[in-house]
Amino acid sequence: MSAPPMPLIPRPLLFWTGVALTCAGVVEHLWMFIDSASMSFHMSMMGMSSVMWVAMVAIVVGVVLSGFAVVQPQKAGPSAAATPARTATASRRRLIAILSFALLVDQMKPASLAFITPGLRAEYHLSAADASWLPTVALTGTVLGSLVWGRAADRIGRRATILIASLLFLGTTVCGAMPTFGGTLVMCALMGMAAGGMLPVVYALMTESMPPGRRAAIMVLQAGLTATGGYMAAAGLAAVLIPLAGWRVMWFAQLPLVLILIALNRWIPESAAFTASQTRTRQVPASALFRRPQTAKTLVVSAYALAWGLVYWGFITFLPSQLESSGRHGMPAATLLFISSLLAIPTCAVGAWLYMRWSARGTMVVYATLTVAALLTLAAVGLDGSSPVLLATVMLLFAGTAGVIALIGPYTAEIYPMAIRGTAGGWAAAVGKSGGAFGPPLIALVLSAPGGIRTAAMFVALPMALAGLAVAVRGSNPQAAARTPEGTAPLVAEPDDLVGSEAVAAQTTATTHLPGRGGTAA
């Protein structure tokens, strides 16, 4: 006789007590922000009052209590395991929608940094060098968050990790009420930790909740569209709200979205495959990423993610100012970059189709090649070339990088075994975002060398070319990676039949009886 299913929240009273404490602390900060309207929402002269400190303690205690409440208690044996439920098509569609919303909220956090910087500099009287600490600290937080929450997903579960990250989102919205620049940096680092953990966990859960077939295409499309949608949502909020209530409102404006996300967690089930594995699979250490048979995968994924981070966080960061200074492209740099960013939508749609219908590895090589081609063109013509060539080159660069970032997360989730899928996704995300920590100063140094933008374009084209070559030569086939190599069963056993689809069962059968075939070409 099977055990009854585990509750969604093992300790509901403790959980909602923690949520109430967190909300109370956030509301107190929100009220202080509203009360500063008479000072044009400038809070830098207010200081940290005793009430604010009490509210901060309430937030910390609330997040800790709620986080403890969502972690499933350890079970003594297989008899206590949860009974995985089959997932209906309607439930899968709802899950896709909710996880897409989670990624959208996640992407809005780092995207907001660009829009709050001018107001933050003016209020705190900061130089450009001082203000640069904000994105550096926030992106460093995302690197740490990716590592911590990716690992947590493999230890405490996908659903629990998503919920804890959502609670951190809720608590760190008070970044908008910090009266000191140092306090803002601390809160933005914590906010970055929450944001860094969402992506790899969502992809792991999607991989284990969707049947094979269109799963990869859905994930690639989801990755690209939520990245673009998050940036556009942040831009829209900034255009409407900052003129009315200053830069601080950008953090508080996301508060209702985070509360909706926490409410929607009711319809995010734990991965059935992960739940079943807890009673029959030993814990796999994070170091398994760097041991055979995972070593080659990790090196390839790391190279691809690092190359993207260097191009996106390093080179593209300086592109607007370089375009403005050249003044030869016939339109404002912001307009050109906005139009180019819109290419992410058709780019991701094409990438999803190629990934599903043609080849996973091939699609990743194509988008790496597009990025390299754009960079080499910039290196050849510089910013003094003809306007049509420059416009086409910048658009090609955005199309290539949009495809690279849309592919790396889903690809990583598919090629790694379930026992370390969250850890691997966290590692890939951390490596990519590390470009935000060392990319800008490194590219700034290269731009000061002879050749300027041409030298910088050549500099970042080389690692992207090497990463594309690594994928082509040693990249894994997602379909073949799902099979269980001899001697590695405890690590890579993948109970895909628990996804609840006849298609999955058919895939498992085909894999078992046709060991010589690797599925679709990749």
Side-chain angles (χ1 to χ4, degrees), residues 255-280:
L255 178 59
L257 300 179
V258 177
L259 291 173
I260 292 172
L261 179 58
I262 292 175
L264 290 175
N265 264 270
R266 174 181 178 84
W267 291 282
I268 299 179
E270 181 55 273
S271 160
F274 174 84
T275 302
S277 72
Q278 296 307 287
T279 60
R280 64 190 188 200

Side-chain angles (χ1 to χ4, degrees), residues 13-402:
L13 180 60
L14 189 63
F15 173 78
W16 291 113
T17 300
V19 171
L21 279 172
T22 304
C23 288
V26 171
V27 168
E28 182 59 39
H29 282 81
L30 177 60
W31 179 253
M32 293 177 184
F33 167 73
I34 295 173
D35 200 41
S36 68
S38 60
M39 300 179 289
S40 300
F41 298 100
H42 284 195
M43 303 179 68
S44 57
M45 67 288 293
M46 293 177 62
M48 291 287 289
S49 65
S50 58
V51 175
M52 184 175 285
W53 282 113
V54 171
M56 290 289 291
V57 171
I59 291 171
V60 173
V61 173
V63 171
V64 171
L65 289 179
S66 297
F68 175 75
V70 300
V71 177
Q72 294 286 353
Q74 293 294 322
K75 296 298 180 179
S79 61
T83 303
R86 292 185 176 272
T87 310
T89 301
S91 298
R92 290 193 188 116
R93 290 173 180 169
R94 182 174 61 197
L95 180 62
I96 292 170
I98 293 173
L99 294 181
S100 297
F101 178 73
L103 289 179
L104 187 71
V105 174
D106 177 80
Q107 295 291 344
M108 287 176 65
K109 300 290 184 180
S112 298
L113 293 173
F115 303 103
I116 71 168
T117 301
L120 177 137
R121 284 188 61 187
E123 181 173 343
Y124 291 125
H125 307 289
L126 301 173
S127 66
D130 291 334
S132 67
W133 278 102
L134 182 67
T136 300
V137 167
L139 289 170
T140 301
T142 65
V143 172
L144 296 175
S146 297
L147 296 172
V148 170
W149 298 118
R151 185 58 184 159
D154 290 333
R155 300 299 299 269
I156 65 175
R158 284 56 164 134
R159 181 180 186 276
T161 305
I162 290 174
L163 191 47
I164 294 173
S166 302
L167 291 167
L168 277 176
F169 277 159
L170 174 62
T172 53
T173 54
V174 300
C175 186
M178 292 295 103
T180 65
F181 182 55
T184 301
L185 289 180
V186 171
M187 294 309 299
C188 281
L190 295 174
M191 186 181 291
M193 287 193 66
M198 191 67 76
L199 260 139
V201 185
V202 165
Y203 293 144
L205 182 57
M206 285 282 291
T207 300
E208 293 156 16
S209 302
M210 301 290 118
R214 297 183 180 179
R215 173 177 67 195
I218 291 171
M219 291 167 62
V220 172
L221 196 59
Q222 180 188 53
L225 295 184
T226 53
T228 304
Y231 182 85
M232 291 183 174
L237 284 175
V240 173
L241 297 178
I242 288 181
L244 299 176
W247 64 273
R248 295 177 180 274
V249 75
M250 286 297 292
W251 301 132
F252 287 115
Q254 297 173 29
L255 178 59
L257 300 179
V258 177
L259 291 173
I260 292 172
L261 179 58
I262 292 175
L264 290 175
N265 264 270
R266 174 181 178 84
W267 291 282
I268 299 179
E270 181 55 273
S271 160
F274 174 84
T275 302
S277 72
Q278 296 307 287
T279 60
R280 64 190 188 200
T281 305
R282 62 179 175 85
Q283 290 286 350
V284 179
S287 60
L289 291 179
F290 304 96
R291 296 204 300 259
R292 296 186 64 184
Q294 314 303 329
T295 310
K297 296 178 187 177
T298 303
L299 292 176
V300 168
V301 165
S302 299
Y304 202 75
L306 185 62
W308 171 84
L310 192 57
V311 174
Y312 187 83
W313 297 114
F315 186 81
I316 292 181
T317 296
F318 290 93
L319 195 56
S321 60
Q322 295 291 316
L323 288 170
E324 285 291 353
S325 62
S326 71
R328 294 177 56 89
H329 41 81
M331 68 174 69
T335 303
L336 170 59
L337 296 176
F338 177 76
I339 294 173
S340 299
S341 67
L342 288 178
L343 284 176
I345 297 174
T347 293
C348 294
V350 172
W353 187 86
L354 290 173
Y355 192 102
M356 178 180 67
R357 297 292 186 183
W358 175 48
S359 163
R361 285 184 306 185
T363 305
M364 295 179 71
V365 172
V366 164
Y367 280 100
T369 303
L370 288 177
T371 304
V372 171
L375 291 168
L376 292 180
T377 304
L378 276 176
V381 304
L383 299 180
D384 300 323
S386 64
S387 294
V389 172
L390 185 58
L391 290 172
T393 301
V394 173
M395 291 180 181
L396 183 66
L397 177 62
F398 272 75
T401 54

